Amino acid sequence: MSNDIVNILTMAKVIQTAVAPVFLITGIAATLGVLSNRLARITDRARLLDRKVNSSQDDALKASLCTEMRALLKRSRCIHIAFSMSVLSALLVCAVVMLLFTSHLYKIPVGITLSSCFIAAMMLLMGAFLALLAEVFLATRSMRRGMIFKDLE
C-alpha cells in the first residue's frame, strides 16, 4: 500500500476516534440549555420578588420575601457553578479532539495529556451534575417549606 493510502486510512481512524467526544460536546450543550433555562426562571422570580419587596409596607411579608430571595441566591450560585464546570468540561473535550488531530499530524506522543484532559472533563461534568442536583434539592426544599405552595392549604 502506498504511503498516501496509509495516511488517509490513519486519518479516517482519527476522525472515527474523534466522533465520540464530539457527541459528548452535544450532550454538554444540551445540559447548558437546561442550566440556562433554570437560571432564567430563578432570575425572573428574583426580579418579581424584588419588586414586591420594594412596593410592600408589610414587614412580615418583606421578611418572608427576603427569605425566599436568599434561597434563590443559593440556587443561582449552584447553577453558576454547574454552568462554569460544564463549559470548562466542553472546552477540555474540544482540547481532546484537537489533541487527537495534532498528535496524528505532527506525530507527537500526547497519550498522557489526552487521557488527563478527558479525565478532567469527566470530573468537571460530574461536578456540574452534582451542582445541578444541589440546586434541585434547594428548589424542592423551598417548596417543602411552603414558600411556593403556601396558598394551597
Side-chain angles (χ1 to χ4, degrees):
M1 243 189 281
S2 76
N3 199 21
D4 286 341
I5 293 173
V6 171
N7 283 336
I8 290 171
L9 292 175
T10 306
M11 183 56 84
K13 257 316 195 201
V14 171
I15 291 170
Q16 286 175 343
T17 305
V19 168
V22 170
F23 282 120
L24 180 59
I25 293 169
T26 305
I28 293 171
T31 301
L32 289 171
V34 169
L35 294 170
S36 293
N37 287 335
R38 291 189 74 84
L39 183 59
R41 297 288 304 241
I42 292 168
T43 303
D44 291 344
R45 180 72 180 154
R47 285 183 183 146
L48 176 71
L49 292 176
D50 187 53
R51 281 196 298 270
K52 286 183 179 181
V53 165
N54 292 331
S55 66
S56 176
Q57 301 300 322
D58 183 5
D59 288 337
L61 177 62
K62 280 186 178 183
S64 174
L65 294 174
C66 285
T67 300
E68 187 173 350
M69 286 179 71
R70 278 191 293 277
L72 290 174
L73 180 62
K74 288 179 187 176
R75 289 178 58 197
S76 70
R77 285 181 185 148
C78 287
I79 293 295
H80 176 77
I81 290 167
F83 204 91
S84 298
M85 292 178 105
S86 295
V87 169
L88 289 173
S89 177
L91 288 172
L92 282 172
V93 173
C94 290
V96 165
V97 173
M98 184 188 71
L99 283 169
L100 281 169
F101 285 101
T102 303
S103 68
H104 172 71
L105 291 174
Y106 299 108
K107 308 292 188 243
I108 301 170
V110 291
I112 292 173
T113 306
L114 198 67
S115 301
S116 299
C117 282
F118 191 75
I119 290 168
M122 291 299 97
M123 290 176 70
L124 284 167
L125 194 55
M126 288 169 56
F129 286 138
L130 288 171
L132 176 59
L133 184 62
E135 190 272 332
V136 170
F137 284 158
L138 287 171
T140 55
R141 185 171 69 183
S142 294
M143 287 189 318
R144 282 194 309 269
R145 284 186 180 163
M147 290 179 172
I148 296 174
F149 296 121
K150 60 185 170 194
D151 296 332
L152 291 179
E153 293 178 357

